Amino acid sequence: MIAFLGESLIDLISTDGKTFLKKIGGSPLNIARNLNQLGIKPIIISRVGNDFFGREIIETLKSENLETKYIQIGHGNTSTVIILASPKTPDFIPFRDEDKNLEIPEGFNLKNIKFLHVSCWAITHKTEKIKKIVANKNIKIAFDPNCRKKLFPCKKIDLDPIYEILKNTYIIKPSLDDAREIFGILPKERYIELLHTFGIKYVILTMGKEGSLVSDGHKIKHIKLLSKNVVDTTGAGDAFWSGIYYGLLNDFSIFKAALLGTVISIHVIEEIGGVVKLKDISDYLKEVEKYENSIL
């Protein structure tokens, strides 16, 4: 079983800065919804406001047969993000409210959870209970270091909670932009070396159209597939994570899991929004078989 800890919010996505498309978003929520489409039922630990956006999120998840009992409802508003869609890394403006008050539910049981996915958003504000749960040595922490200065109260990246969680992380998938925000401008392979020094088993560095570098601590493989029609990269990283998790939960090697993530992300970036209608998993697995021998 897999659990997701982090933000649930509303994305207002624009391609021209004038009109906006409303989508349910938040990286952990996107990944969970993708996995649900692929036949894996996740646990979602998140927080929304007591408003029409919060109700829309919960009602949508229920309509998709996803469990919502660990989604907290606060007295404020549901967090909202304005996104300028782009074939490159999209820029965004966050309006954070109730997601900052996310708590670990009382009595939450980690016993049957294989992976706990934690977003950087979850460790920017009230973090004591979250820090305690991610320090649990009996669970594999997957950390999404989607850290930006604008997410922290001081408007600069607070490295202390990031370094704490890195010490307990099993797998991490930074984008090149994420790595630069945390460590500064360095050679790509150096980011991978640095992350392994924290004791992280698997490191995947995604590099946009240049593909990804996948490391198990012993060898690094470059996985690169090109999309014919890049429309919006908003959900690319979340789609990639979805393939990784499907693969690892089905005992794939990290390299094959990353290839599956690549295949799914190529499909997603051809449409607008963080979550799109996915194909049957068998279709993606056929694509993996097609490229597996030549790439891996």
Side-chain angles (χ1 to χ4, degrees):
M1 188 175 289
I2 183 167
F4 291 88
L5 175 66
E7 68 278 8
S8 293
L9 44 81
I10 293 294
D11 287 332
L12 298 175
I13 307 171
S14 178
T15 57
D16 58 8
K18 298 177 181 179
T19 57
F20 294 84
L21 179 66
K22 176 173 65 68
K23 293 274 190 177
I24 290 172
S27 178
L29 194 65
N30 291 344
I31 305 168
R33 293 176 70 201
N34 283 340
L35 279 177
N36 185 50
Q37 290 191 69
L38 298 176
I40 293 175
K41 290 292 181 184
I43 292 172
I44 301 167
I45 307 167
S46 194
R47 190 177 182 94
V48 298
N50 187 19
D51 55 17
F52 51 86
F53 279 160
R55 289 189 287 274
E56 180 182 353
I57 289 172
I58 290 174
E59 288 167 6
T60 298
L61 296 179
K62 286 181 177 179
S63 73
E64 295 172 357
N65 295 315
L66 280 162
E67 181 60 68
T68 61
K69 68 179 178 180
Y70 294 123
I71 298 182
Q72 302 140 39
I73 301 174
H75 297 294
N77 293 318
T78 301
S79 297
T80 306
V81 175
I82 295 176
I83 299 171
L84 185 61
S86 169
K88 300 179 180 178
T89 303
D91 196 10
F92 69 98
I93 303 172
F95 295 90
R96 301 188 67 182
D97 197 331
E98 278 301 333
D99 89 275
K100 297 186 296 186
N101 300 318
L102 176 61
E103 298 275 6
I104 300 298
E106 292 295 331
F108 179 68
N109 190 353
L110 293 170
K111 185 177 179 182
N112 296 317
I113 295 175
K114 186 170 183 180
F115 295 102
L116 175 64
H117 178 101
V118 183
S119 163
C120 187
W121 290 55
I123 63 169
T124 58
H125 286 71
K126 297 169 68 174
T127 61
E128 289 308 312
K129 291 182 180 179
I130 292 173
K131 280 163 63 175
K132 184 177 179 181
I133 201 170
V134 300
N136 188 315
K137 301 299 182 184
N138 296 318
I139 191 167
K140 293 174 179 174
I141 300 297
F143 180 45
D144 185 356
N146 51 352
C147 307
R148 297 293 183 273
K149 298 178 181 68
K150 62 183 78 175
L151 300 179
F152 290 83
C154 56
K155 301 307 177 187
K156 65 179 183 179
I157 291 181
D158 184 353
L159 291 175
D160 288 342
I162 295 173
Y163 283 1
E164 268 310 303
I165 195 170
L166 289 178
K167 293 173 187 175
N168 297 290
T169 294
Y170 177 82
I171 179 171
I172 191 168
K173 188 201 70 61
S175 68
L176 200 52
D177 290 333
D178 298 336
R180 286 170 177 160
E181 287 284 330
I182 297 170
F183 297 115
I185 298 175
L186 297 170
K188 296 168 186 174
E189 288 76 8
R190 181 60 181 149
Y191 293 128
I192 293 173
E193 292 172 6
L194 277 172
L195 290 166
H196 278 307
T197 64
F198 286 93
I200 300 172
K201 184 176 178 66
Y202 297 135
V203 178
I204 301 171
L205 180 69
T206 56
M207 306 175 295
K209 64 181 181 180
E210 295 303 314
S212 62
L213 296 177
V214 184
S215 173
D216 64 359
H218 302 287
K219 58 182 177 289
I220 298 175
K221 293 193 176 184
H222 185 192
I223 298 177
K224 181 179 179 181
L225 297 174
L226 295 177
S227 172
K228 296 177 181 177
N229 181 32
V230 180
V231 175
D232 177 20
T233 61
T234 301
D238 302 334
F240 200 115
W241 269 119
S242 307
I244 291 170
Y245 286 133
Y246 184 94
L248 293 181
L249 290 167
N250 285 279
D251 299 319
F252 289 12
S253 73
I254 187 59
F255 303 106
K256 185 175 179 179
L259 178 55
L260 176 59
T262 303
V263 167
I264 297 175
S265 66
I266 285 176
H267 172 210
V268 169
I269 63 178
E270 293 177 349
E271 299 184 44
I272 291 180
V275 174
V276 303
K277 174 65 176 174
L278 298 182
K279 302 176 186 177
D280 188 88
I281 185 60
S282 62
D283 293 327
Y284 295 123
L285 292 176
K286 286 176 185 175
E287 286 288 302
V288 169
E289 288 177 8
K290 183 168 114 179
Y291 296 113
E292 190 173 1
N293 291 334
S294 60
I295 292 179
L296 306 184

